Amino acid sequence: MRKNVKAAVIAALIVTGANAFTMVSATTVESHTDGKSIGLNLWGEKRHYTDDLTVNVSGLGVNGTKYHNNVTGIYALDGTQVAIDKNVTVTVKNPAPAESGAKRRPDLAHYYMSGIYAGYGGLTSDGNNDDTRVTVKGNAKIDAVGVGLQANKDGYIRILGGADVKTYPLDTSDTYSALSEEGFVYVNTGMDGLHPGTNDVKMYGNIGFLDKNYGIEKNPHNHGSHISLGLTTPNSKLVGGVLNEFDESNNNPYHGGLRLYLQNGATWRNEWLGAERVYPTQGRPNNANYLYTGSRVEHFIGGKDISSQGIIQAVDPRPITINNYAGHAAIDYEKGAPATAQGKGEVVINHADKGSSVTMRSSADALKGYANVDNPRGTLQQLANKLTYTGFTKGERNLNVNVQVDSGLISPTYATKLGTDSFTVDGKPSITNQAVVTARESEVVSGAKSALASSVMQMKADTNDLQRRLGDVRLNSNKHGVWGKYIGGKSKITDSAYVNQTYNMAQVGYDTLRGDWTIGGALLYGTSNSDYALGSGSGKTAGLALYGAKQYNDGRYFDVIGKVSRLKNDFTVRNSLGTSLSGDYRNTGTSLSVEYGKRIKKDNGFYIDPNAELTVSRLSGVNFDARTNTGSTVHINSDAVNSVIGRIGVGIGKESKNSNLFLKVALAHEFSGKMKATYRMTGEPTTGSEVNLKDTWLDLELGGSWSVRPNTYIYGTFTKNFGAIIDNSYRIDAGIRHNF
């Protein structure tokens, strides 16, 4: 056996009788054997780790005739107190874990393999101790063969930060990512399990509540068994079923069980992993009443509204029973999941808080065999039949139900909204002829349309007026000039499409003075990142511009610029049921812009600058194939987009010998700007989409130029618009020009 504890600093040892605490900073614990192996074996001790704690353990649960060697990371009993101020990492490797079987005491197998174990608190055969507590103020990363977090009698495990708990399905015994036997496990829900945080939580493994009412050291049943999980971020997920033996046996006087916060796109994939719990060999009354018949949740708290709802992925054909439901959640039935079969995958809600809702989602393909896409109302009813609201049968009228079925990948989605009275006498949702059934664009088409719109936005981001491009050229009158500038900003569109785009571009140019004209050219390269309602994409732009600017002695100016650019975009979008569509395409953009204005100067350096601008552009159409993660192909044909934008505005500013500051306000109007596309795939009718960008809005531009040396000046502008379909949240242009 090799066991080594490396402590960077032993900060203090405070000895005060029963309150003795050992304070330790950054620590790594190693224990590696060919049998029993425990990293931290703590009986009635008090440890305070002021820094990160790492525990690495390997051993063999089965070795020869021994079937229950204990292979555990942190093993805390008899009132042990462990406080970890930062993060904990526990790795438990066990290629031969403790086994279940008629001769191998299956009711005990889970005791002998854990990442963190806390138990045997309070009054036991070892004496009358304090509760056993393990508290982690930071994050927990557990990778364990066996149980991730196990709290037995009067044991508390509190993870106040986030968690990544990974366990492994076994065929030799049941295992859990979190397990309670009259103990408490709180992850990202505070010290009391009632205050969810904002950390990522990933739990891979079943959740268990076991009734230790058999054999030696029976639990006294002084309180319930509780686990509270805060899954409150889009990256958070639980994969596993929920066994509650107290509910299964109809003997849960303390209403113990799982409190699950599932919000903001977090997911729970309900499927049992590995071997199921079997009869304890030491016997108890009505053995069969404790076996797993479906997941049972004591308290489910979804999002505060539908936009922040959590997602239940129904996979296991056995029912999910929720005793107390609050907030908003979606229940997805994906193609191929056993839960999609008729009469399977039911969800039972016994009580719902007022104002709560459930959104049931599936596809005609997933429900194939008992749903008819040509009868949308009947298909929606078949999906709705998977829900039972038993509270309705007892007089409750609190739960709203939304039902939606995708008729195909690119075909319309049918949906209906049911109020709190839309249930039958047995608590089933009822889609009567009075219920309004709507058809809307599929989520995949909506996502692809948004990906196409991102190129239009990318091209519009590369717009210039004279001040944005060159600053105040009067600050230097030399014949030749070179310049470079940065363009960065954020824009979004939420009407007819959803794109949230950030972009960064660099532009360099050279020009020369020919009479009254400054003639030049510029090169541009830029990148963009776009988020869609369900998906994301990225883009690149490379362009060439030729321009001419004329300054008149009376303050008038005239500017013309022609540009050609090549745009590349790639994207991945998906629907709520997990089908994704990925593609990439290229466009060519051309534009011509003219600007005319006059700077009317005052003696004190202030000036007024009325101006007008007209920009004509065209983004070429594209034809390309995009592929789904299921192997299908969608052919997308997008028409060219023509745009004509007129602006009329006025600027005010103040100029001096070495600087110029200004503020511009302009009214802009898009006279064209329609974006049309069609989508085709085998087995579905062709469908189309359209985004109309015709619009009127207000532009606001603030900027200036400053001479930093005789032949060099810097310039910059901040631009924002108001009331536009393409909402320019901000744009920053910052450049430098050198004349010679």
Side-chain angles (χ1 to χ4, degrees):
M1 174 179 178
R2 177 170 63 87
K3 184 170 182 178
N4 183 28
V5 178
K6 302 175 183 177
V9 179
I10 303 295
L13 177 60
I14 306 171
V15 182
T16 56
N19 294 319
F21 260 92
T22 300
M23 299 184 68
V24 186
S25 68
T27 300
T28 298
V29 177
E30 305 277 351
S31 179
H32 305 285
T33 76
D34 58 1
K36 176 181 177 180
S37 185
I38 300 175
L40 286 175
N41 196 3
L42 307 174
W43 296 71
E45 298 186 40
K46 299 182 186 297
R47 296 283 183 92
H48 182 184
Y49 295 89
T50 59
D51 210 326
D52 293 340
L53 172 63
T54 300
V55 180
N56 297 316
V57 170
S58 62
L60 296 176
V62 176
N63 186 357
T65 59
K66 294 183 178 180
Y67 299 106
H68 299 101
N69 290 320
N70 195 349
V71 182
T72 291
I74 299 174
Y75 195 54
L77 302 92
D78 284 3
T80 287
Q81 310 291 301
V82 178
I84 303 169
D85 288 348
K86 294 187 178 179
N87 306 312
V88 64
T89 301
V90 178
T91 302
V92 178
K93 296 182 179 180
N94 184 358
E99 294 183 3
S100 297
K103 297 180 180 179
R104 298 177 182 175
R105 302 172 71 191
D107 49 302
L108 299 181
H110 63 276
Y111 290 124
Y112 296 98
M113 43 183 175
S114 296
I116 299 177
Y117 175 99
Y120 240 58
L123 181 62
T124 69
S125 59
D126 290 341
N128 192 0
N129 301 301
D130 197 353
D131 294 337
T132 301
R133 301 182 183 93
V134 177
T135 303
V136 181
K137 292 184 179 180
N139 301 321
K141 183 176 178 62
I142 311 294
D143 187 323
V145 174
V147 180
L149 306 171
Q150 182 167 182
N152 286 355
K153 178 185 173 301
D154 294 324
Y156 286 79
I157 299 175
R158 295 182 174 100
I159 311 297
L160 303 184
D164 185 351
V165 179
K166 181 180 180 181
T167 61
Y168 298 84
L170 303 177
D171 57 11
T172 53
S173 66
D174 50 316
T175 59
Y176 308 86
S177 61
L179 174 64
S180 172
E181 286 187 7
E182 209 166 325
F184 304 83
V185 178
Y186 301 153
V187 180
N188 192 39
T189 54
M191 291 294 289
D192 58 1
L194 301 176
H195 295 86
T198 57
N199 305 286
D200 288 345
V201 174
K202 298 177 181 179
M203 307 288 292
Y204 186 83
N206 306 310
I207 305 296
F209 302 88
L210 305 187
D211 186 359
K212 184 62 168 66
N213 61 351
Y214 55 87
I216 62 173
E217 297 286 355
K218 295 179 182 178
N219 284 344
H221 296 105
N222 291 330
H223 53 75
S225 301
H226 299 276
I227 296 174
S228 177
L229 304 178
L231 278 65
T232 59
T233 68
N235 293 326
S236 295
K237 59 183 176 181
L238 164 64
V239 180
V242 182
L243 167 63
N244 189 326
E245 288 192 341
F246 301 93
D247 275 352
E248 293 285 3
S249 62
N250 197 29
N251 183 22
N252 194 359
Y254 298 105
H255 304 289
L258 176 62
R259 175 179 289 269
L260 178 61
Y261 295 88
L262 195 71
Q263 302 166 353
N264 302 314
T267 59
W268 168 29
R269 186 174 179 85
N270 177 55
E271 60 176 325
W272 188 267
L273 302 177
E276 295 186 14
R277 185 93 165 128
V278 295
Y279 302 130
T281 57
Q282 298 185 42
R284 58 184 172 186
N286 302 314
N287 252 337
N289 290 347
Y290 295 84
L291 300 184
Y292 178 73
T293 61
S295 290
R296 297 174 181 268
V297 178
E298 186 64 27
H299 294 278
F300 182 97
I301 303 94
K304 64 180 180 180
D305 50 37
I306 290 179
S307 65
S308 61
Q309 67 187 1
I311 301 168
I312 300 173
Q313 297 170 337
V315 178
D316 197 297
R318 290 165 288 195
I320 298 171
T321 301
I322 299 173
N323 289 332
N324 299 281
Y325 181 92
H328 305 268
I331 306 172
D332 291 348
Y333 294 84
E334 301 176 6
K335 180 182 178 181
T340 60
Q342 190 169 18
K344 304 296 183 181
E346 295 186 351
V347 175
V348 179
I349 296 176
N350 290 326
H351 162 73
D353 281 5
K354 194 173 184 62
S356 55
S357 77
V358 169
T359 299
M360 307 190 70
R361 305 187 298 204
S362 191
S363 66
D365 201 19
L367 304 176
K368 189 178 294 183
Y370 63 97
N372 181 5
V373 70
D374 295 326
N375 179 11
R377 190 179 301 273
T379 299
L380 291 169
Q381 183 64 66
Q382 290 290 347
L383 177 58
N385 287 341
K386 292 183 179 293
L387 176 67
T388 301
Y389 174 31
T390 57
F392 185 87
T393 67
K394 301 174 183 178
E396 269 191 16
R397 300 294 184 269
N398 295 339
L399 185 65
N400 297 279
V401 179
N402 306 306
V403 190
Q404 68 178 57
V405 174
D406 297 339
S407 62
L409 189 65
I410 62 173
S411 300
T413 294
Y414 295 103
T416 189
K417 295 182 178 181
L418 305 177
T420 58
D421 289 317
S422 300
F423 294 87
T424 62
V425 292
D426 58 354
K428 293 288 187 182
S430 177
I431 304 174
T432 65
N433 290 332
Q434 285 71 44
V436 177
V437 175
T438 60
R440 67 170 185 265
E441 192 174 70
S442 81
E443 290 174 323
V444 167
V445 167
S446 180
K449 175 182 66 176
S450 298
L452 294 171
S454 65
S455 283
V456 178
M457 297 170 64
Q458 200 172 328
M459 183 175 173
K460 287 181 178 291
D462 177 27
T463 57
N464 279 284
D465 61 23
L466 182 59
Q467 295 264 30
R468 285 181 188 158
R469 185 172 68 258
L470 300 179
D472 192 352
V473 293
R474 72 170 185 84
L475 290 178
N476 197 303
S477 58
N478 287 359
K479 188 173 183 180
H480 307 288
V482 292
W483 55 272
K485 74 166 185 171
Y486 163 79
I487 306 168
K490 181 177 181 180
S491 56
K492 63 182 178 181
I493 180 172
T494 56
D495 291 348
S496 303
Y498 182 90
V499 186
N500 200 334
Q501 184 178 87
T502 58
Y503 54 87
N504 294 278
M505 294 182 278
Q507 194 172 28
V508 294
Y510 166 82
D511 51 51
T512 184
L513 191 63
R514 297 291 179 90
D516 294 332
W517 285 86
T518 299
I519 306 296
L523 298 174
L524 175 138
Y525 178 79
T527 62
S528 65
N529 290 288
S530 299
D531 289 326
Y532 313 122
L534 292 170
S536 61
S538 61
K540 295 180 180 179
T541 306
L544 170 68
L546 299 175
Y547 60 88
K550 184 174 183 179
Q551 303 273 348
Y552 295 87
N553 293 331
D554 62 357
R556 289 178 298 143
Y557 59 89
F558 180 76
D559 182 54
V560 59
I561 179 170
K563 293 183 292 185
V564 60
S565 56
R566 188 67 171 164
L567 299 91
K568 178 183 182 298
N569 271 278
D570 59 75
F571 65 89
T572 297
V573 296
R574 65 184 187 279
N575 62 19
S576 300
L577 300 175
T579 302
S580 63
L581 180 72
S582 299
D584 61 83
Y585 64 93
R586 291 167 173 80
N587 303 78
T588 299
T590 55
S591 67
L592 178 67
S593 176
V594 293
E595 180 186 9
Y596 179 78
K598 182 176 182 180
R599 182 175 296 185
I600 304 170
K601 300 179 182 179
K602 304 296 182 180
D603 293 338
N604 57 5
F606 284 94
Y607 64 86
I608 300 175
D609 181 3
N611 56 83
E613 183 181 11
L614 181 68
T615 302
V616 179
S617 65
R618 179 180 175 86
L619 183 66
S620 67
V622 290
N623 284 279
F624 65 99
D625 289 334
R627 294 191 64 82
T628 70
N629 58 342
T630 58
S632 301
T633 298
V634 178
H635 181 74
I636 301 176
N637 180 12
S638 177
D639 293 347
V641 180
N642 299 311
S643 172
V644 179
I645 298 176
R647 284 184 178 85
I648 184 168
V650 62
I652 58 173
K654 187 177 190 305
E655 64 178 32
S656 65
K657 179 181 179 181
N658 296 315
S659 67
N660 170 38
L661 298 175
F662 67 89
L663 173 67
K664 284 185 180 181
V665 179
L667 184 67
H669 182 74
E670 167 67 84
F671 293 90
S672 183
K674 280 191 177 180
M675 189 186 79
K676 295 181 179 180
T678 57
Y679 310 84
R680 299 196 310 272
M681 69 178 296
T682 302
E684 294 192 34
T686 299
T687 189
S689 68
E690 180 177 313
V691 178
N692 189 351
L693 299 176
K694 189 175 182 180
D695 192 20
T696 302
W697 67 93
L698 192 68
D699 276 332
L700 180 68
E701 185 178 342
L702 175 67
S705 301
W706 298 267
S707 179
V708 294
R709 57 176 59 186
N711 294 320
T712 305
Y713 64 87
I714 59 175
Y715 56 97
T717 61
F718 173 86
T719 308
K720 181 175 175 57
N721 65 19
F722 299 89
I725 292 176
I726 298 181
D727 177 13
N728 178 30
S729 302
Y730 70 88
R731 169 176 162 165
I732 296 173
D733 293 64
I736 184 169
R737 179 180 174 87
H738 177 72
N739 287 6
F740 54 93

